[in-house]
């Protein structure tokens, strides 16, 4: 596996090695000891999977408060998504900055998003399946969000913003300027 350190402290891109031939490929996509030694010393407690059937579906930007704050290891196992993390750690030199990357079944890349970041994605193809390991279970009482298209953040989504398909909850999340402090750097 290869790692790429990203411009927002703590974010890491992981590219598993694929061994292939005429039949297809084999890849180790997660090794606990390697992850702890090279990326983050965390324990994953749950693995989630979501299907977004329509192109232009936006999910996020989501995070959970302590004691259920989640680190996430995200990968796209079918289709293609634009995956985004926004630094919401008060005091961070990159507070309010975002990083986005394309994750797909074809490229096999994964994104590690530690606690202190809001996370979301937009689907670029039909029937996108996303799998992500998390470091804390889901907690409705701790569930929070950030407005996906806040102009102060300026995420450059690779889709027309007026055609985005959103949940009712994601349409009304607070802007960064209205977000109560949730994490410290």
């Amino acid at each position: 596996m290869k790692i790429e350190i990203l411009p927002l402290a703590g974010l890491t891109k992981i590219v598993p090695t694929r061994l292939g031939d005429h039949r297809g490929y084999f890849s180790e996509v997660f090794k606990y000891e390697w992850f702890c030694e090279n990326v983050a010393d965390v324990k994953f407690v749950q693995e989630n999977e979501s299907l977004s059937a329509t192109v232009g579906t936006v999910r996020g930007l989501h995070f959970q408060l302590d004691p259920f704050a989640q680190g996430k290891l995200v990968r796209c196992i079918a289709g293609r998504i634009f995956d985004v993390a926004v630094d919401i750690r008060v005091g961070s030199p990159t507070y309010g900055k975002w990083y986005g990357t394309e994750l797909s079944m074809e490229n096999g890349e994964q994104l590690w998003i530690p606690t202190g970041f809001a996370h979301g994605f937009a689907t670029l193809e039909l029937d996108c399946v996303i799998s992500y390991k998390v470091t804390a279970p889901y907690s409705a009482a701790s569930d929070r969000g950030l407005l996906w298209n806040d102009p102060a953040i300026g995420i450059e989504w690779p889709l027309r913003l007026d055609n985005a398909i959103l949940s009712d909850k994601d349409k009304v999340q607070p802007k960064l300027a209205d977000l109560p402090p949730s994490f410290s750097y």
Side-chain angles (χ1 to χ4, degrees):
M1 284 190 241
K2 298 176 188 171
I3 61 172
E4 180 182 337
I5 304 304
L6 301 173
L8 305 183
L11 284 181
T12 307
K13 186 184 288 186
I14 301 163
V15 184
T17 302
R18 288 182 172 175
L19 305 172
D21 60 22
H22 66 281
R23 301 166 297 164
Y25 70 84
F26 172 83
S27 182
E28 291 180 340
V29 297
F30 180 76
K31 291 169 75 171
Y32 179 75
E33 288 182 15
W34 181 91
F35 190 89
C36 290
E37 290 173 11
N38 294 283
V39 181
D41 190 4
V42 297
K43 178 182 175 186
F44 292 104
V45 299
Q46 185 172 312
E47 186 165 357
N48 303 321
E49 183 175 296
S50 72
L51 166 70
S52 295
T54 307
V55 173
T57 297
V58 175
R59 293 183 185 252
L61 302 161
H62 302 145
F63 62 95
Q64 290 190 169
L65 299 175
D66 283 329
F68 295 100
Q70 294 179 323
K72 297 177 182 179
L73 181 60
V74 183
R75 68 188 187 115
C76 182
I77 57 177
R80 196 167 50 95
I81 65 170
F82 184 70
D83 203 54
V84 174
V86 178
D87 188 349
I88 57 171
R89 300 169 296 176
V90 174
S92 168
T94 56
Y95 178 80
K97 303 291 184 199
W98 64 277
Y99 175 82
T101 190
E102 187 175 296
L103 301 179
S104 68
M105 189 276 301
E106 286 79 19
N107 69 24
E109 295 175 355
Q110 301 176 51
L111 187 62
W112 163 246
I113 304 164
T115 60
F117 287 81
H119 169 253
F121 63 87
T123 59
L124 305 175
E125 294 182 0
L126 294 172
D127 298 326
C128 292
V129 179
I130 295 80
S131 176
Y132 51 103
K133 293 174 177 27
V134 294
T135 59
Y138 174 73
S139 166
S142 298
D143 188 29
R144 298 292 186 278
L146 180 61
L147 190 63
W148 71 283
N149 63 348
D150 182 349
I153 300 169
I155 297 171
E156 296 174 13
W157 296 99
L159 61 125
R160 290 188 46 186
L161 301 184
D162 57 344
N163 290 338
I165 300 165
L166 299 151
S167 69
D168 290 340
K169 178 179 96 171
D170 288 344
K171 291 177 185 177
V172 297
Q173 296 289 6
K175 292 182 177 182
L176 184 64
D178 301 321
L179 190 68
S182 304
F183 301 97
S184 295
Y185 182 67

